Amino acid sequence: MIENVVQLPLAVGEDLVIQKNRIGSGGKRLCVVTGTHGDELEGQYVAWRLAGILNEHPEHLQGTVDLYPALNPLGISTMTRGIPLCDLDMNRTFPGSEGGSMSEYVAAKLIQDLSGADVCVDIHASNVFLREIPQVRINEDTAQRLVPLAQRLNMDLIWIHGAATVLESTLAHSLNALGTPTLVVEMGIGLRLTRTYGDQLLRGLLSLMAHLGMWTAPVMPVMPVAPPLVSSDGSVSFVNAARSGIFIPAVDHAAHVERDQTLGVVADPLTGETLETLKSPASGLLFTLREYPVVYQGSLIARILGGGL
């Protein structure tokens, strides 16, 4: 059943409408949220596939699944990360306020609608600059409660962040503070769909639903859900550019790299010079890699899961 969660008038006789698709009724409730950033589209594929499976096999659903494929429909329509009308990052406006601006009102209404779910999965992609392996990011303050749920999601990595790195104005932080367990998924790259990653998460969502007693059929396709790597901030090494230029990678994303292995170079197309050779500071999994080649001093190039492991 399609429902309007928020509807607000806009200029020229148009409306801002944020919708959800409620499938099933009663029992436990899973909310799957995506499209908070208009340039993050990986979750669109997941929402489409999950809705298709649930509609095709309603006899296996024991509970309620609420799908929110586009929390920021204006951003998706315009390929804009934030809310175009006010140039705000929507994921910095929660928990919002019904008496505030348009964006604050929308955030407050979304929090009201999502609160009380047994689990919420907030799907994000990376931006256009970086490619990420499928992962769940969790605040260390909520790790004890959330890690057992995240382990069901069939992701490659669970990254437990220090509390100081978690922004309190995000949807996930606000919902977790209200007692609604919320998992943040990051995968892929901005403005693109990575079907293999989407299918991987789809199996994870069905696995999570089975764990919650909401799905009685075998996880589809019938494949085991792999245990993820679990890391803390101390296990993650960062590589940043020291020079501005064009980044040319020498390794593949998601590869295992060795300490001091060359990850790529920063080049100057005008002079033909190699300005900098970037090497891995640790042995481990290259779970983030620069995709957009233009870099400046300080640009993030890579993250390696190693170091403290």
Side-chain angles (χ1 to χ4, degrees), residues 84-95:
L85 294 177
C86 46
D87 196 27
L88 283 176
D89 185 334
M90 188 177 189
N91 211 28
R92 302 295 182 268
T93 62
F94 293 99

Side-chain angles (χ1 to χ4, degrees), residues 212-235:
L212 295 171
M214 297 177 62
W215 186 248
T216 61
V219 172
M220 298 165 57
V222 182
M223 293 177 64
V225 172
L229 296 168
V230 180
S231 81
S232 64
D233 282 343
S235 303

Side-chain angles (χ1 to χ4, degrees), residues 189-209:
I189 189 168
L191 298 178
R192 297 291 183 271
L193 296 179
T194 310
R195 291 181 60 178
T196 53
Y197 289 172
D199 290 336
Q200 182 177 341
L201 178 56
L202 178 67
R203 292 196 302 273
L205 288 169
L206 294 174
S207 167
L208 176 62
M209 289 170 60

Side-chain angles (χ1 to χ4, degrees), residues 58 66 89 95 118 164:
D66 284 338
D89 185 334
D118 291 276

Side-chain angles (χ1 to χ4, degrees), residues 140-267:
E140 66 182 9
D141 291 341
T142 57
Q144 185 174 1
R145 183 183 190 187
L146 296 184
V147 167
L149 296 172
Q151 289 174 326
R152 305 282 177 170
L153 275 183
N154 198 35
M155 298 287 91
D156 296 334
L157 169 66
I158 298 173
W159 184 3
I160 301 172
H161 278 276
T165 67
V166 178
L167 295 170
E168 295 183 359
S169 53
T170 63
L171 175 65
H173 186 278
S174 297
L175 286 174
N176 278 312
L178 292 170
T180 299
T182 302
L183 301 167
V184 176
V185 170
E186 293 270 356
M187 62 183 189
I189 189 168
L191 298 178
R192 297 291 183 271
L193 296 179
T194 310
R195 291 181 60 178
T196 53
Y197 289 172
D199 290 336
Q200 182 177 341
L201 178 56
L202 178 67
R203 292 196 302 273
L205 288 169
L206 294 174
S207 167
L208 176 62
M209 289 170 60
H211 172 70
L212 295 171
M214 297 177 62
W215 186 248
T216 61
V219 172
M220 298 165 57
V222 182
M223 293 177 64
V225 172
L229 296 168
V230 180
S231 81
S232 64
D233 282 343
S235 303
V236 176
S237 300
F238 295 76
V239 178
N240 297 83
R243 302 286 300 274
S244 299
I246 300 296
F247 173 65
I248 302 172
V251 291
D252 293 327
H253 180 235
H256 182 90
V257 296
E258 300 297 333
R259 183 181 180 88
D260 292 327
Q261 181 177 342
T262 297
L263 302 179
V265 299
V266 177

Side-chain angles (χ1 to χ4, degrees), residues 25 31 49 75 85 121 126 138 153 166 178 254 261 278 285:
S25 61
C31 294
R49 290 279 283 121
L85 294 177
V121 179
S126 185
I138 294 174
L153 275 183
V166 178
L178 292 170
Q261 181 177 342
L278 297 158
L285 175 67

